[in-house]
């Protein structure tokens, strides 16, 4: 087995950065396939904490290829400063970075439009609560076939034609908001610097990944966001603008589905969401606040407080099906132990199923989870390094998740550090 996809199985922030960092120790290639710097993936390596937004979370291993696929949208200024920061921390000092020529580029007017639209909608219906990073407008331009790709940055005359085309579509909206029109010359000038920086880093990512697979190398495909934020299958319209599911890895990298061997999905031991949209198991009272403070649930990209609630097993089962999960990673088990009592949602009222019924229309039913609420539980969980080390209520909780979702648990995370991990199955066979 050489190719493993790791995806978020909830609304993002499940711990993809941590899990990818742990598994990347065994991989030669780590490849992001979707999203942009709306993502914030956290790696904790002892005393060091690193948050990646565009760079794949394999960056802590010198020599491991870190690949940005065609399905991504890249804000070049953010990318350059992220790489510079990682290099100051001693990473990416070789030729690890590889960027798809076909990835799309987030430009200043995409960021402006994202913010303006959110501001205009604020307080009213239609506010998505985006990260305001220009993600939606960049994917919109891509679908409208006027997007700017990385390869366009290397060809100033083609870039200029593309930008003029965007000007025709976008200036009207910018000016309606009292914002300056697209400055084509300024972007073409900035692109000279981006192109110089990109030289030696761009390639046909599909060919690179295919060659790695054929050579028997281990390829780890890193998802961004989560299943319920997927453009097609998430809680539309409260979603991101890309395919977050495992199915998106093939298109987003340029490889065929026959090259993929396994898909692991990540879930927290509870649920969080940031931004607008339905969240059936959200706890709006003190328990939600307790979860937020115990789990330090603040967005790694925007710093926004995340809404918190109980584990939603019907939604997780749905995510498992959408992704064809072969393994389940459960993170933040230690955090759940900080609560005086724990509940879980195994079903929605009337047996409603996500996919058939909108999540805003379901009512979560809860069952208490026995054995939690012991103040010493968290410490015992945090030091566990094998399943056998876990206190029995924690093991019973994991067994119940596995049985309800129907996917084997392959990894359990008991703290933010990469060492605080229990791997129950080999990631690469
Ligand atoms: P991602 O977007 O899926 O990569 O997740 P984020 O990095 O945005 O958010 C996950 C947060 O939980 C980060 O602050 C991680 O350091 C932290 N984290 C990950 N796994 C665990 C865990 O098992 N226990 C605790 N306490 N924190 C964790
Ligand atoms: P990672 O990869 C959590 C949410 C935003 C908003 C919606 C649309 O760290 O898990 P966008 O800026 O993408 O147009 O916003 O999606 N969102 C995320 N929530 N984690 C993320 O990424 C997210 N990326 C986008 O909050 O609700
Ligand atoms: Mg995140």
């Amino acid at each position: 087995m050489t190719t493993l996809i790791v995806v978020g199985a909830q609304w993002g922030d499940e711990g993809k950065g941590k899990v990818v960092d742990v598994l990347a120790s065994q991989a030669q290639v780590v490849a992001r396939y979707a999203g942009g710097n709306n993502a914030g993936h956290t790696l904790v390596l002892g005393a060091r904490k690193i948050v990646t937004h565009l760079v794949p979370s394999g960056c802590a291993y010198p020599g491991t290829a870190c690949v940005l696929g065609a399905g991504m949208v890249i804000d070049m200024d953010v990318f350059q400063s992220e790489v510079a920061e990682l290099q100051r921390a001693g990473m990416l000092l070789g030729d690890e970075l590889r960027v798809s020529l076909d990835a799309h580029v987030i430009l200043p007017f995409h960021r402006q439009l994202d913010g303006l639209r959110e501001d205009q909608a604020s307080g009213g219906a239609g506010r998505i609560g985006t990260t305001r990073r220009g993600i939606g407008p960049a994917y919109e331009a891509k679908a409208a076939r006027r997007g700017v790709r990385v390869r366009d940055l290397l060809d100033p005359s083609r870039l200029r034609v593309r930008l003029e085309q965007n000007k025709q579509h976008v200036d009207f909206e910018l000016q309606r908001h009292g914002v300056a029109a697209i400055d084509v010359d300024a972007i073409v000038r900035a692109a000279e610097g981006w192109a110089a920086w990109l030289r030696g880093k761009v390639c046909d990512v599909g060919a690179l990944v295919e060659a790695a697979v054929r050579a028997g190398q281990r390829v780890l495909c890193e998802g961004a966001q989560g299943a319920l934020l997927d453009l097609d299958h998430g809680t539309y319209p409260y979603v991101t603008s890309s395919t977050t599911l495992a199915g998106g890895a093939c298109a987003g990298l340029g490889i065929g589905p026959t090259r993929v061997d396994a898909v692991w999905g990540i879930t927290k031991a509870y649920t969080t969401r940031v931004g607008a949209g339905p969240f059936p198991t959200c706890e709006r009272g003190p328990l939600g606040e307790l979860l937020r403070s115990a789990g330090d649930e603040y967005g790694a990209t925007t710093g926004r407080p995340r809404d918190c609630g109980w584990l939603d097993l019907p939604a997780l089962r749905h995510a498992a099906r959408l992704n064809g999960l072969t393994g389940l990673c459960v993170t933040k088990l230690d955090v759940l132990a900080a609560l005086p009592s724990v509940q879980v949602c195994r079903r929605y009222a009337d047996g409603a199923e996500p996919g058939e019924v909108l999540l805003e229309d379901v009512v979560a039913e809860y069952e208490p989870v026995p054995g939690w609420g012991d103040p010493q539980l968290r410490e015992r969980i945090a030091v566990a390094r094998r399943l056998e080390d876990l206190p029995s209520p924690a093991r019973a909780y994991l067994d119940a998740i596995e049985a309800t979702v129907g996917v084997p648990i392959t990894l359990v995370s008991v703290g933010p550090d990469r060492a605080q991990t229990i791997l129950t199955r080999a990631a690469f066979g």
Side-chain angles (χ1 to χ4, degrees), residues 146 161-173 182:
R146 58 183 147 79
V161 171
R162 277 266 175 245
L163 291 171
E164 292 293 351
Q165 200 186 354
N166 278 275
K167 218 173 147 49
Q168 283 175 20
H169 286 272
V170 173
D171 274 358
F172 173 73
E173 186 178 352
I182 294 179

Side-chain angles (χ1 to χ4, degrees), residues 9-184:
Q10 299 175 302
W11 277 286
D13 303 328
E14 300 90 347
K16 295 175 291 294
K18 170 179 169 163
V19 171
V20 169
D21 169 61
V22 168
L23 301 180
S25 66
Q26 304 170 41
Q28 284 78 46
V29 178
V30 181
R32 266 275 306 267
Y33 61 85
N37 58 314
N38 47 351
H41 296 180
T42 313
L43 287 57
V44 178
L45 325 174
R48 285 199 300 173
K49 177 172 157 174
I50 294 153
V51 181
T52 64
H53 300 283
L54 288 161
V55 170
S57 301
C59 57
Y61 301 92
T64 297
C66 285
V67 175
L68 287 77
M72 289 187 70
V73 284
I74 301 175
D75 183 322
M76 285 302 302
D77 291 328
V78 173
F79 187 30
Q80 281 180 291
S81 44
E82 185 175 331
V83 171
E85 199 181 320
L86 291 170
Q87 287 178 333
R88 279 195 294 277
M91 298 173 196
L92 302 176
L93 296 174
D95 64 347
E96 289 90 352
L97 271 182
R98 286 286 178 272
V99 184
S100 169
L101 285 159
D102 294 324
H104 279 247
V105 179
I106 296 180
L107 293 166
F109 59 90
H110 295 133
R111 284 195 299 268
Q112 283 173 317
L113 286 171
D114 198 357
L116 289 168
R117 290 174 187 171
E118 283 288 293
D119 287 341
Q120 199 180 39
S122 76
R127 195 179 70 85
I128 305 293
T130 73
T131 58
R132 296 172 177 254
R133 300 298 193 262
I135 306 296
Y139 278 118
E140 210 176 294
K142 171 178 173 173
R145 292 159 292 187
R146 58 183 147 79
V148 169
R149 296 189 291 175
V150 164
R151 62 171 78 241
D152 300 324
L153 300 179
L154 312 178
D155 180 341
S157 54
R158 196 171 56 214
L159 175 63
R160 189 172 284 280
V161 171
R162 277 266 175 245
L163 291 171
E164 292 293 351
Q165 200 186 354
N166 278 275
K167 218 173 147 49
Q168 283 175 20
H169 286 272
V170 173
D171 274 358
F172 173 73
E173 186 178 352
L174 290 171
Q175 283 165 341
R176 186 159 54 85
H177 290 291
V179 173
I182 294 179
D183 185 342
V184 171

Side-chain angles (χ1 to χ4, degrees), residues 63-408:
T64 297
C66 285
V67 175
L68 287 77
M72 289 187 70
V73 284
I74 301 175
D75 183 322
M76 285 302 302
D77 291 328
V78 173
F79 187 30
Q80 281 180 291
S81 44
E82 185 175 331
V83 171
E85 199 181 320
L86 291 170
Q87 287 178 333
R88 279 195 294 277
M91 298 173 196
L92 302 176
L93 296 174
D95 64 347
E96 289 90 352
L97 271 182
R98 286 286 178 272
V99 184
S100 169
L101 285 159
D102 294 324
H104 279 247
V105 179
I106 296 180
L107 293 166
F109 59 90
H110 295 133
R111 284 195 299 268
Q112 283 173 317
L113 286 171
D114 198 357
L116 289 168
R117 290 174 187 171
E118 283 288 293
D119 287 341
Q120 199 180 39
S122 76
R127 195 179 70 85
I128 305 293
T130 73
T131 58
R132 296 172 177 254
R133 300 298 193 262
I135 306 296
Y139 278 118
E140 210 176 294
K142 171 178 173 173
R145 292 159 292 187
R146 58 183 147 79
V148 169
R149 296 189 291 175
V150 164
R151 62 171 78 241
D152 300 324
L153 300 179
L154 312 178
D155 180 341
S157 54
R158 196 171 56 214
L159 175 63
R160 189 172 284 280
V161 171
R162 277 266 175 245
L163 291 171
E164 292 293 351
Q165 200 186 354
N166 278 275
K167 218 173 147 49
Q168 283 175 20
H169 286 272
V170 173
D171 274 358
F172 173 73
E173 186 178 352
L174 290 171
Q175 283 165 341
R176 186 159 54 85
H177 290 291
V179 173
I182 294 179
D183 185 342
V184 171
D185 289 335
I187 298 175
V188 172
R189 270 197 308 277
E192 280 174 31
W194 297 334
W197 186 84
L198 281 167
R199 233 172 286 282
K201 299 186 179 75
V202 290
C203 71
D204 176 346
V205 156
L208 181 153
V209 175
E210 177 76 16
V213 171
R214 282 178 185 273
Q217 293 190 348
R218 289 159 168 185
V219 178
L220 187 55
C221 307
E222 175 181 4
Q225 291 79 49
L228 298 166
L229 289 170
D230 179 74
L231 180 59
D232 292 294
H233 299 281
T235 49
Y236 191 89
Y238 301 101
V239 293
T240 190
S241 301
S242 59
T243 300
T244 63
L245 299 174
C250 294
L253 293 174
I255 55 169
T258 49
R259 296 295 177 267
V260 177
D261 298 299
V263 183
W264 286 11
I266 311 179
T267 178
K268 284 176 186 168
Y270 50 96
T271 309
T272 65
R273 174 167 206 173
V274 60
F279 178 177
T281 61
C282 187
E283 278 291 322
R284 306 236 168 250
L287 278 173
E289 278 167 36
L290 210 56
L291 266 175
R292 184 181 307 128
S293 64
D296 195 19
E297 295 294 354
Y298 295 88
T301 294
T302 60
R304 291 178 293 174
R306 299 173 183 145
D307 290 328
C308 301
W310 304 118
L311 185 59
D312 182 338
L313 288 172
L316 185 57
R317 206 167 40 219
H318 186 56
R321 180 175 63 72
L322 290 169
N323 283 298
L325 295 188
T326 59
L328 193 60
C329 309
V330 179
T331 60
K332 300 196 122 171
L333 194 62
D334 56 311
V335 173
L336 203 57
L339 266 74
S341 62
V342 173
Q343 299 187 65
V344 66
C345 167
R346 252 191 233 265
R347 71 187 296 275
Y348 299 145
D350 304 320
E353 283 294 334
E356 285 176 5
V357 181
L358 292 175
L359 286 196
E360 56 248 51
D361 295 331
V362 305
V363 176
E365 291 183 348
Y366 296 105
E367 290 171 25
V369 180
W372 293 73
D374 170 356
Q376 287 171 357
L377 217 51
R378 185 169 190 173
E379 284 158 39
R380 289 175 53 206
I381 290 176
V383 297
R385 296 292 176 269
R386 300 170 310 159
L387 278 183
E388 304 83 87
D389 299 336
L390 287 171
S392 55
R395 288 192 69 177
Y397 185 61
L398 294 175
D399 288 345
I401 294 173
E402 192 172 82
T404 310
V405 179
V407 175

